[in-house]
Amino acid sequence: MAAAAPTRGEVLSLLRTARHFSDYNIREYTRRRATDAFRENRSLGDVAAAAAAYADGKKRLEVAKRQAVVYSLYAPKAKSIMEMKLQ
């Protein structure tokens, strides 16, 4: 049985999830990887290939979530220079 193609909402949820990471490096890495993967797979016409690409994206998202947990355990006390606001 062929896998169903992911809906637009499911695909965009991968990108939205990147915003919820507290660590700047993980947040930007996840956002960048999701955007790059969308651009790479833009022309997929085969339902099975689209479902496989979505499954790969979900696996990568789970890795990023685990990485965020590890980062939070050993988080530095100061914010990243990228997260500091200019005064």
Side-chain angles (χ1 to χ4, degrees), residues 1 3 5-6 9-10 12-14 17-18 21 26 28 30 35 41 44 48 54 60-61 63-65 68 81:
M1 184 166 144
E10 289 173 332
L12 290 176
S13 71
L14 295 177
T17 304
F21 291 122
I26 296 174
E28 290 302 308
T30 305
T35 304
N41 298 318
L44 289 179
Y54 179 70
R60 290 179 187 267
L61 180 62
V63 168
K65 285 180 180 179
I81 190 71

Side-chain angles (χ1 to χ4, degrees), residues 24-34 60 64 67:
Y24 174 82
N25 291 326
I26 296 174
R27 185 173 55 243
E28 290 302 308
Y29 173 78
T30 305
R31 185 191 60 79
R32 188 174 56 247
R33 290 291 300 153
R60 290 179 187 267
Q67 188 176 9

Side-chain angles (χ1 to χ4, degrees), residues 1-11 44-55 58:
M1 184 166 144
T7 63
R8 183 175 187 262
E10 289 173 332
V11 171
L44 289 179
D46 184 23
V47 174
Y54 179 70
K58 283 182 73 171

